[in-house]
Coordinates of all heavy atoms in Angstrom, one line a residue:
A62 N 32.9 -19.9 34.4 CA 33.7 -18.7 34.6 C 34.0 -18.5 36.0 O 33.9 -17.3 36.5 CB 33.0 -17.5 33.9
Y63 N 34.3 -19.5 36.8 CA 34.6 -19.4 38.2 C 33.5 -18.8 39.0 O 33.7 -17.9 39.8 CB 36.0 -18.7 38.4 CG 37.1 -19.3 37.6 CD1 37.6 -18.7 36.5 CD2 37.7 -20.5 38.1 CE1 38.6 -19.3 35.8 CE2 38.7 -21.1 37.4 CZ 39.2 -20.5 36.2 OH 40.2 -21.1 35.5
S64 N 32.3 -19.2 38.7 CA 31.0 -18.8 39.3 C 30.4 -17.6 38.8 O 29.3 -17.2 39.2 CB 31.2 -18.6 40.9 OG 31.5 -19.8 41.5
A65 N 31.0 -16.9 37.8 CA 30.4 -15.7 37.2 C 29.1 -16.1 36.4 O 28.1 -15.3 36.4 CB 31.3 -15.1 36.2
A66 N 29.0 -17.3 35.9 CA 27.9 -17.8 35.1 C 27.0 -18.7 36.0 O 26.5 -19.7 35.5 CB 28.3 -18.4 33.8
N67 N 26.8 -18.4 37.2 CA 25.9 -19.2 38.1 C 24.5 -19.4 37.5 O 23.9 -20.5 37.6 CB 25.8 -18.6 39.5 CG 27.0 -18.9 40.4 OD1 28.0 -19.6 39.9 ND2 27.0 -18.4 41.6
S68 N 24.0 -18.4 36.9 CA 22.6 -18.4 36.4 C 22.6 -19.0 34.9 O 21.6 -19.0 34.3 CB 22.0 -17.1 36.4 OG 22.8 -16.1 35.8
G69 N 23.7 -19.4 34.4 CA 23.9 -19.9 33.1 C 24.3 -18.8 32.1 O 24.1 -17.6 32.4
H70 N 24.9 -19.2 31.0 CA 25.3 -18.2 30.0 C 24.1 -17.5 29.3 O 23.2 -18.2 28.9 CB 26.2 -18.8 29.0 CG 27.5 -19.3 29.6 ND1 28.5 -18.4 29.9 CD2 27.9 -20.5 29.9 CE1 29.5 -19.1 30.4 NE2 29.2 -20.4 30.4
H71 N 24.1 -16.2 29.2 CA 23.1 -15.5 28.6 C 21.7 -15.8 29.1 O 20.8 -16.2 28.3 CB 23.1 -15.7 27.0 CG 24.3 -15.1 26.4 ND1 25.5 -15.8 26.1 CD2 24.6 -13.8 26.1 CE1 26.4 -15.0 25.6 NE2 25.9 -13.8 25.6
H72 N 21.5 -15.8 30.4 CA 20.1 -16.0 30.9 C 19.2 -15.0 30.2 O 19.4 -13.8 30.2 CB 20.2 -15.8 32.4 CG 18.9 -16.2 33.1 ND1 17.7 -15.5 33.0 CD2 18.6 -17.3 33.8 CE1 16.8 -16.1 33.6 NE2 17.3 -17.2 34.2
P73 N 18.1 -15.5 29.7 CA 17.2 -14.6 28.9 C 16.7 -13.4 29.7 O 16.6 -12.3 29.1 CB 16.1 -15.6 28.5 CG 16.1 -16.8 29.4 CD 17.6 -16.9 29.7
F74 N 16.3 -13.6 30.9 CA 15.8 -12.4 31.7 C 16.9 -11.3 31.9 O 16.6 -10.2 31.7 CB 15.3 -12.9 33.0 CG 14.6 -11.8 33.8 CD1 13.3 -11.4 33.6 CD2 15.3 -11.1 34.8 CE1 12.7 -10.3 34.3 CE2 14.7 -10.1 35.5 CZ 13.4 -9.7 35.3
I75 N 18.1 -11.8 32.2 CA 19.1 -10.8 32.5 C 19.6 -10.2 31.1 O 19.8 -9.0 31.0 CB 20.3 -11.5 33.2 CG1 19.9 -12.2 34.5 CG2 21.4 -10.4 33.5 CD1 20.9 -13.1 35.1
T76 N 19.7 -11.0 30.1 CA 20.1 -10.5 28.8 C 19.1 -9.5 28.3 O 19.5 -8.4 27.7 CB 20.3 -11.7 27.8 OG1 21.3 -12.6 28.3 CG2 20.7 -11.2 26.4
N77 N 17.8 -9.8 28.4 CA 16.8 -8.9 27.9 C 16.8 -7.6 28.7 O 16.5 -6.5 28.1 CB 15.4 -9.6 27.9 CG 15.3 -10.6 26.8 OD1 15.9 -10.5 25.7 ND2 14.5 -11.6 27.0
A78 N 17.0 -7.7 29.9 CA 17.1 -6.4 30.7 C 18.2 -5.5 30.3 O 18.0 -4.3 30.1 CB 17.3 -6.8 32.2
V79 N 19.3 -6.1 29.9 CA 20.5 -5.3 29.4 C 20.1 -4.7 28.1 O 20.4 -3.6 27.8 CB 21.7 -6.2 29.4 CG1 22.8 -5.5 28.6 CG2 22.2 -6.5 30.8
L80 N 19.6 -5.6 27.2 CA 19.2 -5.1 25.9 C 18.2 -4.0 25.9 O 18.3 -3.0 25.2 CB 18.7 -6.3 25.0 CG 19.7 -7.3 24.6 CD1 19.0 -8.5 23.9 CD2 20.7 -6.7 23.6
D81 N 17.2 -4.1 26.8 CA 16.2 -3.1 26.9 C 16.8 -1.8 27.4 O 16.4 -0.7 26.9 CB 15.1 -3.5 27.9 CG 14.2 -4.6 27.3 OD1 14.2 -4.9 26.1 OD2 13.5 -5.3 28.1
A82 N 17.7 -1.9 28.3 CA 18.4 -0.7 28.8 C 19.2 0.0 27.7 O 19.2 1.3 27.6 CB 19.3 -1.0 30.0
L83 N 19.9 -0.8 26.9 CA 20.6 -0.2 25.8 C 19.7 0.5 24.8 O 20.0 1.6 24.3 CB 21.5 -1.2 25.2 CG 22.7 -1.7 26.0 CD1 23.4 -2.9 25.4 CD2 23.7 -0.6 26.2
I84 N 18.7 -0.2 24.4 CA 17.8 0.3 23.4 C 17.0 1.5 23.9 O 16.7 2.5 23.2 CB 16.8 -0.8 22.9 CG1 17.5 -1.9 22.2 CG2 15.7 -0.2 22.1 CD1 16.7 -3.2 22.0
G85 N 16.8 1.5 25.2 CA 16.0 2.6 25.8 C 16.9 3.9 26.1 O 16.4 4.9 26.6
N86 N 18.2 3.7 25.8 CA 19.1 4.9 25.9 C 19.3 5.4 27.3 O 19.4 6.6 27.5 CB 18.7 6.0 25.0 CG 18.8 5.6 23.5 OD1 19.7 4.9 23.1 ND2 17.9 6.1 22.7
Y87 N 19.2 4.6 28.3 CA 19.4 5.1 29.7 C 20.5 4.3 30.4 O 20.6 4.4 31.7 CB 18.1 5.0 30.5 CG 17.5 3.6 30.8 CD1 17.9 2.9 31.9 CD2 16.5 3.1 30.0 CE1 17.4 1.7 32.2 CE2 16.0 1.8 30.3 CZ 16.4 1.1 31.4 OH 15.9 -0.1 31.7
A88 N 21.3 3.6 29.7 CA 22.3 2.8 30.4 C 23.8 3.1 30.1 O 24.7 2.4 30.4 CB 22.1 1.3 30.1
S89 N 24.0 4.3 29.5 CA 25.4 4.7 29.2 C 26.0 5.2 30.5 O 25.4 5.5 31.5 CB 25.5 5.7 28.2 OG 24.8 6.9 28.6

Side-chain angles (χ1 to χ4, degrees):
Y63 304 104
S64 294
N67 278 2
S68 53
H70 295 283
H71 292 100
H72 189 286
F74 182 81
I75 306 170
T76 301
N77 286 331
V79 169
L80 288 172
D81 288 346
L83 288 170
I84 293 169
N86 296 323
Y87 66 86
S89 61

